[in-house]
Amino acid sequence: MVEFDVPEVDYTRYTNRQLAAVPLALLAVSLLVIAGWTVVTGSPVNPGLDFTGGTELRIALDSPDGQAREEIQAAFSAEPESIRSVPSDGTYIVTFQSGAATTSEIEQQAEAAGFQIRSIDAVSAAFGGETQQQALLGVVVAFLGMSVLVFLMFRTFVPSIAVVISAFSDIVIPIALMNLLGIELSLGTVAALLMIIGYSVDSDILLNNHILRRSGDFYESTYRAMRTGVTMTLTSIAAMIVMTVVATLFGISLLAAIGTVLVFGLTADLINTYLLNLSLLRWYKFEGVAR
């Protein structure tokens, strides 16, 4: 049976600036990516069909992949926004932006081309825009609520702001990677970002509680928190990787996107909790309190 043991890190070898440098550099690069994306596209992240409106058609085709895509391109008068293959059941998911063609026109053209329609879904542009506003409002409210709760728990600025900065970075880094990897913002990925806030606060509060509210040496408390926190996060990452691989193989794009975003966010959480948050706590414990 394989046993997993969290190694004890000798933090005394590194200064606070050295520990914080890596997570802060990742945060800065991520913010630059998001800012650049906003300038180029007009949005910090590409919104998906849930937020822009449009039609999603699932059709069955027996042709080879290249030929099937050519047949799909030729069948419709409107240019498809995307064509995704689902190898597990031999279907293709074709999406059209809102306004490109009506749902009935797309259905008629698919039937005229001889495609076997498995399903067809449509979201209006107005409903998509309203959904986008509600989803983004939900993320903002969740983040602000988490920040207020953290400040009420610790009632001290540095430990509280360390948790808030770590959680902020845990969200920003996956959003930047979503842009680079072409993952769209959907209701599923918004849910993943909300879950990342929960994971982030959990691991950060675990670390802060061990260091600030329990007896023992600073580094002993850090290691006790790491044994629980790192094990918990790595277990979650492993589960998300398995879910992402299986969902990708079976063509379940929503679960694959959620799993990918969670893997990014949880990995960022490990870096931010045990480098950025820890460096701020150490500064507060050994220098900030003495002032």
Side-chain angles (χ1 to χ4, degrees):
M1 180 177 179
V2 178
E3 292 186 3
F4 175 75
D5 189 21
V6 177
E8 186 169 4
V9 180
D10 184 7
Y11 282 106
T12 59
R13 295 173 55 191
Y14 308 99
T15 66
N16 290 329
R17 289 184 179 180
Q18 288 175 323
L19 290 177
V22 172
L24 288 178
L26 287 173
L27 176 60
V29 172
S30 300
L31 288 173
L32 284 175
V33 169
I34 294 172
W37 206 266
T38 304
V39 171
V40 174
T41 67
S43 175
V45 61
N46 288 334
L49 191 70
D50 294 336
F51 298 141
T52 59
T55 303
E56 182 178 278
L57 182 68
R58 192 182 186 105
I59 54 179
L61 280 176
D62 292 330
S63 307
D65 185 65
Q67 182 181 342
R69 290 176 184 273
E70 290 179 2
E71 292 177 9
I72 293 171
Q73 292 279 2
F76 300 99
S77 57
E79 181 75 17
E81 173 71 10
S82 67
I83 303 173
R84 301 196 306 273
S85 171
V86 184
S88 60
D89 60 0
T91 61
Y92 286 83
I93 298 174
V94 188
T95 58
F96 298 87
Q97 281 290 352
S98 179
T102 64
T103 303
S104 59
E105 288 174 346
I106 292 171
E107 186 175 8
Q108 289 171 3
Q109 291 169 7
E111 290 174 344
F115 298 151
Q116 183 183 351
I117 299 175
R118 294 286 181 85
S119 65
I120 183 165
D121 298 303
V123 178
S124 71
F127 183 76
E130 184 179 340
T131 304
Q132 183 178 14
Q133 290 179 356
Q134 291 177 349
L136 294 178
L137 179 64
V139 174
V140 172
V141 169
F143 189 83
L144 292 178
M146 174 275 297
S147 303
V148 171
L149 181 62
V150 168
F151 274 96
L152 289 176
M153 285 182 63
F154 293 105
R155 299 178 184 276
T156 311
F157 181 74
V158 174
S160 302
I161 201 67
V163 176
V164 174
I165 292 175
S166 294
F168 175 72
S169 183
D170 289 349
I171 296 175
V172 168
I173 291 173
I175 290 176
L177 290 171
M178 284 170 61
N179 289 334
L180 296 178
L181 296 178
I183 299 175
E184 296 179 336
L185 187 69
S186 65
L187 289 175
T189 50
V190 168
L193 293 175
L194 289 171
M195 283 189 275
I196 288 172
I197 293 176
Y199 274 115
S200 174
V201 173
D202 197 17
S203 57
D204 285 316
I205 288 180
L206 176 69
L207 178 65
N208 287 20
N209 271 333
H210 271 76
I211 291 177
L212 299 177
R213 294 182 174 175
R214 296 192 181 183
S215 59
D217 177 73
F218 178 88
Y219 296 105
E220 290 178 1
S221 300
T222 300
Y223 181 60
R224 286 200 301 269
M226 284 184 67
R227 281 191 304 182
T228 304
V230 171
T231 303
M232 179 178 65
T233 305
L234 288 181
T235 303
S236 300
I237 290 175
M240 290 303 107
I241 289 175
V242 171
M243 185 183 83
T244 303
V245 171
V246 173
T248 302
L249 291 176
F250 284 91
I252 310 172
S253 57
L254 178 60
L255 284 182
I258 291 174
T260 303
V261 172
L262 282 173
V263 169
F264 292 155
L266 291 171
T267 304
D269 182 49
L270 280 178
I271 298 171
N272 288 316
T273 301
Y274 300 107
L275 292 179
L276 180 58
N277 190 2
L278 182 73
S279 64
L280 290 171
L281 283 176
R282 189 168 68 175
W283 178 88
Y284 170 76
K285 191 80 173 179
F286 294 112
E287 299 179 46
V289 174
R291 292 188 175 185

